[in-house]
């Protein structure tokens, strides 16, 4: 179902059918300087940081003081209303929103009566980044802004995961993109910067109403014609790939509802937290997307997603059998995490999985129980906690991996230059990491069919060498290459490799350098030179050295 304009009014979601009113609101927000920096300045570091931890008390004190003193303009009212769950009388709102007025805010379904005054019905906050200019994003109020547990069809604001995905998406210009599970539409703000047409899907009509509201509120900054929104963004209601069956996209992005949730025979779809739970057992929603996404990718098209995956105690042995008893929880082999994701990838698809974190089942359960404020009823909390642990135990899950993944349908089915890569990188990355991911994919692609000996290489600008040795030792025991930027990898080097890398200055070919270094070190010269050329793949694909193009 295509839900482009005219969009029906959805209860408990912002209303976006009156463009004049949306423009009036944008003007009021601009006039009040409702920007991230201004909010941070008003609140001060400590209160602003507390708000970042969902603690509103310090910020409330600042806003109350500021309102009491008078003269701070409209900003304290906006901050109190949209971020802190405070109630305001009609006159205060008329003053803070001179063009929209209290009646306009009510018609947009952004506020609701609260005793003598009004309080926010949604969260509305500024968003800006290196890609997106100053905008505002409406989403549902968080648990810290309203009483009781979250609604089950809660529409998420811009969270850490949203930012992680936005920073990882490679922003090359493309014709057609798909966002699966758009929520409040934050990824669309970014996709509009490099995709000509976007289809955004969600299983929730409330989420689509928020996304539409946000696009139209910010149409001037996003460069979208409100009269012809559907020429740039089509909003479609439906589950997973069903709304786009038979279509192809150059790019698919998704921060899907990947949270692993225990299933029960008595559960009802309306009881699920749709922002995080796709209603499938274990990690099978992610599995189904990894398997099926290539169906909607154009040749050369790519998909980028965040995901959770289960890490089992079962380790596949050399004979391919699973030996459950060989391992106990916590003893999974270092590469056990790859087993599930690897088995999901369809033949002919290229994939890069980066595991960023591993969580124990107990910690995972506690995190997601806390997330929806399910801890407020102790008995229900304990029962749900047991369900999580039983569910994980049933599948011998020792840990839950979190990470990001990239898939590509090759431009030519028989050429898979990237292949499959599984990496665990748990340290902080330089953000946005996307340009570095792109550079490493391109570097890997460029090696296909090339004679490594002919490559002319240079050490990447951000790479330094570290040598560590025992006091008094003649030679270093450990030689490390370290990247200062991007994925911030380190790699161990042998002494011949260290000599080879230090000689990579863009002058001579890798073959000449390997031969020269091999002649200087102990051991079989041919074998050493061959080993050095073999290490070129690791050094290039991980970005420690780069090729000098068009040399000579
Ligand atoms: C984690 S939120 C992501 C929101 C937003 N894209 C972001 O990056 O912050 C997941 C979204 O997927 C939607 N969703 C849940 N189940 C779905 C399904 N079966 N098909 C499509 N979307 C689904 C939810 O309603 C929610 O908006």
């Amino acid at each position: 179902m295509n839900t482009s304009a005219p969009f029906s009014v959805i209860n408990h979601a912002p209303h976006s059918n009156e463009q004049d009113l949306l423009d009036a609101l944008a003007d009021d927000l601009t006039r009040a300087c409702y920007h991230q920096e201004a909010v941070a300045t008003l609140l001060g570091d400590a209160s602003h940081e507390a708000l970042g931890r969902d603690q509103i008390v310090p910020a409330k004190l600042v806003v109350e003081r500021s309102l009491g003193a008078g003269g701070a303009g409209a900003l304290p009212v906006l901050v109190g209303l949209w971020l802190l769950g405070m109630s305001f009388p009609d006159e205060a709102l008329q003053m803070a929103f001179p063009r929209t007025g209290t009646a306009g805010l009510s018609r947009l379904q952004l506020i609701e009566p609260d005793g003598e005054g009004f309080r926010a019905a949604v969260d509305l906050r500024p968003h800006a980044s290196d890609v997106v200019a100053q905008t505002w994003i409406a989403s549902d109020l968080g648990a810290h802004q309203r009483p009781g547990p979250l609604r089950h069809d809660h529409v998420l604001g811009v969270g850490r995961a949203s930012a992680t995905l936005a920073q990882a998406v490679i922003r090359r210009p493309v014709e057609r993109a798909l966002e699966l599970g758009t929520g409040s539409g934050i990824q669309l703000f970014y996709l509009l910067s490099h995709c000509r047409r976007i289809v955004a899907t969600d299983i929730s009509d409330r989420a689509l109403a928020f996304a539409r509201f946000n696009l139209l509120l910010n149409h001037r900054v996003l460069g979208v014609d409100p009269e012809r929104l559907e020429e740039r963004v089509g909003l479609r209601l439906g589950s997973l790939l069903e709304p786009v069956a038979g279509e192809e996209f150059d790019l698919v992005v998704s921060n899907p509802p990947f949270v692993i949730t225990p299933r029960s025979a008595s559960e009802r779809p309306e009881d699920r937290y749709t922002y995080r739970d796709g209603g499938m057992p274990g990690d099978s929603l992610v599995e189904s997307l990894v398997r099926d996404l290539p169906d909607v990718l154009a040749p050369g098209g790519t998909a980028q997603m965040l995901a959770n995956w289960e890490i089992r105690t079962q380790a596949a042995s050399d004979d391919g059998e699973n030996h459950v008893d060989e391992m106990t929880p916590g003893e999974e082999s270092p590469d056990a995490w790859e087993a599930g994701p690897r088995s999901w990838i369809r033949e002919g698809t290229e994939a890069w999985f980066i595991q960023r974190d591993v969580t124990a089942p107990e910690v995972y359960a506690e995190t997601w129980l806390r997330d929806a404020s399910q801890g407020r009823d102790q008995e229900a909390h304990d029962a749900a906690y047991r369900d999580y642990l039983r569910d994980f135990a049933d599948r011998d899950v020792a840990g839950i991996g979190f990470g990001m993944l990239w898939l590509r349908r090759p431009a030519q089915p028989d050429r898979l230059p990237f292949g499959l890569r599984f990496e665990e990188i748990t340290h902080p990355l330089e953000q946005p990491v996307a340009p570095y991911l792109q550079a490493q994919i391109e570097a890997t692609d460029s090696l296909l069919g090339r004679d490594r000996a002919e490559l002319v290489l240079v050490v990447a600008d951000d790479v330094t060498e570290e040598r560590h040795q025992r006091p008094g030792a003649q030679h270093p025991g450990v030689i490390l290459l370290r990247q200062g930027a991007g994925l911030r990898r380190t790699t161990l080097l042998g002494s011949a490799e260290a000599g080879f890398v230090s000689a990579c200055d863009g002058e001579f070919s890798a073959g000449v350098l390997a031969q020269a270094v091999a002649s200087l070190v102990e051991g079989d010269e041919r074998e050493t030179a061959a080993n050095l050329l073999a290490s070129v793949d690791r050094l290039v694909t991980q970005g420690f050295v780069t090729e000098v193009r068009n040399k000579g």
Side-chain angles (χ1 to χ4, degrees):
M1 174 168 111
N2 194 328
T3 51
S4 323
F7 210 79
S8 51
V9 175
I10 308 268
N11 273 338
H12 307 294
H15 169 180
S16 56
N17 278 353
E18 291 182 64
Q19 189 60 47
D20 289 352
L21 209 45
L22 285 163
D23 289 344
L25 176 61
D27 290 344
D28 284 339
L29 299 173
T30 305
R31 189 182 140 277
C33 273
Y34 190 44
H35 303 157
Q36 279 165 326
E37 301 77 43
V39 172
T41 306
L42 171 74
L43 296 182
D45 287 346
S47 304
H48 192 241
E49 281 163 23
L51 191 57
R53 300 190 300 270
D54 292 346
Q55 297 298 327
I56 59 175
V57 173
K60 267 186 167 172
L61 289 175
V62 174
V63 167
E64 282 161 7
R65 259 200 313 270
S66 176
L67 290 168
L75 192 60
V77 178
L78 270 66
V79 171
L81 181 74
W82 302 125
L83 304 183
L84 305 177
M86 293 168 67
S87 177
F88 290 93
D90 180 35
E91 314 80 71
L93 296 183
Q94 293 293 359
M95 182 278 290
F97 298 91
R99 289 208 55 209
T100 324
T102 311
L105 292 173
S106 297
R107 277 216 311 285
L108 291 170
Q109 298 188 165
L110 299 178
I111 56 170
E112 57 197 19
D114 174 34
E116 305 274 284
F118 297 86
R119 64 184 182 121
V122 301
D123 176 299
L124 181 72
R125 62 183 60 212
H127 181 80
S129 72
D130 54 335
V131 176
V132 177
Q134 186 56 61
T135 50
W136 301 278
I137 288 266
S139 62
D140 269 326
L141 292 163
H144 60 289
Q145 296 160 304
R146 52 180 292 286
L150 296 182
R151 356 173 4 127
H152 283 265
D153 57 359
H154 177 78
V155 177
L156 271 190
V158 183
R160 262 218 304 248
S162 325
T164 301
L165 179 63
Q167 289 167 329
V169 171
I170 296 169
R171 305 221 172 267
R172 67 184 171 106
V174 297
E175 183 65 24
R176 291 204 80 204
L178 165 68
E179 193 205 355
L180 193 151
T182 194
S184 60
I186 179 60
Q187 304 298 336
L188 301 176
F189 285 25
Y190 287 78
L191 292 171
L192 279 164
S193 71
H194 62 113
C195 309
R196 218 176 72 74
R197 283 159 58 218
I198 308 158
V199 173
T201 68
D202 207 287
I203 202 169
S204 153
D205 56 358
R206 289 189 70 243
L208 293 179
F210 274 90
R212 187 172 194 275
F213 173 89
N214 287 327
L215 290 167
L216 294 177
L217 175 64
N218 296 289
H219 73 95
R220 295 172 185 145
V221 173
L222 298 176
V224 170
D225 180 349
E227 301 284 309
R228 297 185 189 80
L229 175 63
E230 57 285 1
E231 283 180 8
R232 297 291 312 278
V233 185
L235 298 168
R236 299 191 198 169
L237 188 65
S239 181
L240 300 178
L241 296 175
E242 173 249 350
V244 292
E247 296 177 53
E248 287 187 347
F249 300 89
D250 306 303
L251 173 67
V252 179
V253 303
S254 188
N255 169 15
F258 55 72
V259 177
I260 299 165
T261 309
R263 306 268 65 105
S264 94
S266 58
E267 73 181 41
R268 300 172 307 163
E270 60 271 28
D271 292 337
R272 273 179 219 138
Y273 289 106
T274 45
Y275 65 93
R276 62 183 220 196
D277 174 13
M280 293 165 77
D283 54 15
S284 48
L285 180 132
V286 175
E287 173 180 357
S288 80
L289 284 176
V290 171
R291 266 194 222 294
D292 298 340
L293 276 172
D295 288 337
V296 298
L297 290 179
T302 56
Q304 289 190 261
M305 265 172 58
L306 301 182
N308 269 156
W309 41 78
E310 295 184 336
I311 305 170
R312 309 278 162 91
T313 50
Q314 294 165 285
S317 71
D318 289 339
D319 61 12
E321 298 293 318
N322 286 327
H323 296 284
V324 184
D325 297 336
E326 284 179 359
M327 305 194 83
T328 50
E331 280 190 327
E332 68 276 14
S333 82
D335 299 334
W337 74 269
E338 301 179 16
R342 194 179 275 280
S343 72
W344 304 336
I345 302 162
R346 228 160 60 186
E347 212 182 313
T349 303
E350 297 181 290
W352 186 6
F353 278 70
I354 300 179
Q355 177 161 279
R356 299 280 297 131
D357 187 27
V358 178
T359 311
E362 294 77 7
V363 178
Y364 192 86
E366 290 157 22
T367 302
W368 293 108
L369 288 167
R370 210 170 33 241
D371 172 73
S373 315
Q374 282 169 297
R376 290 178 186 181
D377 171 349
Q378 192 61 41
E379 214 172 299
H381 167 273
D382 290 356
Y385 199 153
R386 274 170 198 272
D387 289 343
Y388 269 99
L389 297 188
R390 230 180 259 133
D391 184 52
F392 284 130
D394 283 350
R395 290 186 301 278
D396 298 306
V397 175
I400 298 92
F402 166 78
M404 50 193 177
L405 63 97
W406 170 92
L407 303 173
R408 180 167 66 186
R409 176 180 168 190
Q412 297 168 40
D414 54 344
R415 279 169 65 93
L416 299 151
F418 191 86
L420 303 180
R421 200 189 282 183
F422 296 86
E423 289 188 82
E424 181 155 34
I425 305 179
T426 52
H427 53 254
L429 308 179
E430 182 187 340
Q431 295 294 357
V433 74
Y436 300 94
L437 300 177
Q438 181 174 12
Q440 289 182 27
I441 292 164
E442 287 173 1
T444 309
D445 286 352
S446 74
L447 289 180
L448 187 70
R450 307 275 300 286
D451 181 351
R452 304 326 190 226
E454 287 177 3
L455 303 179
V456 178
L457 304 169
V458 65
V459 179
D461 287 344
D462 64 322
V463 169
T464 51
E465 187 192 82
E466 287 173 20
R467 288 172 180 248
H468 301 264
Q469 62 194 84
R470 300 278 306 158
Q474 276 202 321
H475 300 290
V478 175
I479 309 176
L480 272 181
L481 274 192
R482 185 181 293 281
Q483 283 171 343
L487 295 166
R488 296 188 170 132
R489 300 174 194 271
T490 52
T491 190
L492 274 176
L493 297 182
S495 52
E497 267 186 320
F500 175 79
V501 170
S502 60
C504 287
D505 61 0
E507 192 60 33
F508 297 103
S509 70
V512 169
L513 295 182
Q515 208 58 55
V517 171
S519 70
L520 296 174
V521 298
E522 284 176 14
D524 182 274
E525 210 173 301
R526 279 171 60 138
E527 192 183 321
T528 306
N531 286 342
L532 289 174
L533 284 182
S535 67
V536 163
D537 280 33
R538 173 175 111 262
L539 296 169
V540 170
T541 60
Q542 298 194 352
F544 290 101
V545 297
T546 55
E547 192 185 352
V548 179
R549 308 276 173 132
N550 305 323
K551 176 89 177 117

